[in-house]
Amino acid sequence: DSGVTQTPKHLITATGQRVTLRCSPRSGDLSVYWYQQSLDQGLQFLIQYYNGEERAKGNILERFSAQQFPDLHSELNLSSLELGDSALYFCASSVGRTPITGELFFGEGSRLTVL
Amino acid sequence: GQQVMQIPQYQHVQEGEDFTTYCNSSTTLSNIQWYKQRPGGHPVFLIQLVKSGEVKKQKRLTFQFGEAKKNSSLHITATQTTDVGTYFCAGLGDSNYQLIWGAGTKLIIKP
């Protein structure tokens, strides 16, 4: 158990819909990262928040947005969903502002299926 | 932009054979991390290498960081079924301190 909690574990929805994925980081971790992993593919970095503020942006589509709340949990909002958005979405957390201080702890992921 | 190339994409081995995956960066890295993702699981941190030429061992796993801090390798001796999964390297960029992930190497044990 990494200490990172993601909900929901599975989500099935239709094209054009909007979903919200939720992540609670490990206790004490200030950074939250979101990654997308399509079937049997690598990890695509989407976005990072540190202590409530956006710190880094990766290949995140304009239809996607995220935020980190004062209690440090984070939400990833995916809208106008397309078939190609079907993937496993991972949240990870770490203590520091950058990974230079140590590892990322990953949650178990939210599997999104768009029909 | 910065890229980390990881090869091979797949490696099929007989149980007991060795396995190696390689990562090469286009630029110097501050450090490199290695993660393992079991089938159906999430990435789990294995190790972090920081120093030029560093070699670290964890039982049957040997990790190396190149002298120029641009490449790294993971070698598993005498693979076991528990080693099955995808191994990812992730290099920390020297300038923006963002992790740049390799595409992963999937280790498959032949029956």
Side-chain angles (χ1 to χ4, degrees):
Chain A
D1 182 10
S2 66
V4 178
T5 304
Q6 287 188 248
T7 57
K9 285 190 174 12
H10 301 275
L11 193 52
I12 302 174
T13 189
T15 54
Q17 294 299 304
R18 173 191 169 95
V19 298
T20 298
L21 310 180
R22 193 178 193 277
C23 170
S24 294
R26 281 191 334 152
S27 176
D29 284 358
L30 299 178
S31 273
V32 169
Y33 303 76
W34 286 98
Y35 286 89
Q36 180 193 55
Q37 187 175 44
S38 300
L39 189 62
D40 280 345
Q41 298 295 310
L43 293 161
Q44 294 295 321
F45 170 63
L46 297 178
I47 199 164
Q48 179 203 353
Y49 281 83
Y50 175 75
N51 205 19
E53 293 191 3
E54 181 185 306
R55 195 219 158 233
K57 225 170 192 179
N59 298 323
I60 188 166
L61 299 171
E62 285 192 11
R63 300 183 285 109
F64 296 0
S65 65
Q67 54 184 324
Q68 186 179 30
F69 295 87
D71 67 353
L72 300 178
H73 91 271
S74 178
E75 292 181 357
L76 178 67
N77 301 296
L78 316 174
S79 61
S80 302
L81 286 168
E82 301 174 359
L83 296 177
D85 297 328
S86 295
L88 197 50
Y89 291 84
F90 284 111
C91 167
S93 72
S94 69
V95 171
R97 190 167 176 269
T98 77
I100 200 168
T101 53
E103 67 203 82
L104 302 189
F105 293 87
F106 282 81
E108 293 186 358
S110 293
R111 183 170 295 283
L112 173 65
T113 303
V114 182
L115 301 176
Chain B
Q2 291 178 299
Q3 288 188 359
V4 171
M5 305 299 293
Q6 187 172 0
I7 58 169
Q9 189 176 0
Y10 300 93
Q11 190 163 359
H12 295 75
V13 300
Q14 297 277 4
E15 189 174 2
E17 290 181 339
D18 292 356
F19 161 84
T20 306
T21 173
Y22 302 90
C23 284
N24 290 290
S25 169
S26 54
T27 58
T28 303
L29 300 169
S30 295
N31 67 30
I32 194 156
Q33 299 179 359
W34 285 91
Y35 291 78
K36 176 184 178 183
Q37 184 177 20
R38 292 180 187 274
H42 57 277
V44 175
F45 175 81
L46 294 176
I47 206 160
Q48 175 171 282
L49 304 173
V50 178
K51 298 176 186 174
S52 166
E54 190 169 14
V55 178
K56 285 189 175 180
K57 292 192 177 185
Q58 289 179 351
K59 296 183 181 178
R60 295 178 294 104
L61 278 61
T62 302
F63 304 84
Q64 294 188 336
F65 200 10
E67 293 290 342
K69 299 183 76 173
K70 285 186 173 184
N71 57 74
S72 182
S73 66
L74 157 59
H75 180 83
I76 302 178
T77 305
T79 54
Q80 300 175 358
T81 54
T82 53
D83 296 325
V84 161
T86 301
Y87 293 84
F88 292 97
C89 63
L92 193 63
D94 221 3
S95 55
N96 61 8
Y97 296 113
Q98 276 304 307
L99 278 177
I100 309 154
W101 290 79
T105 297
K106 193 169 186 177
L107 170 59
I108 300 160
I109 305 279
K110 296 182 212 175

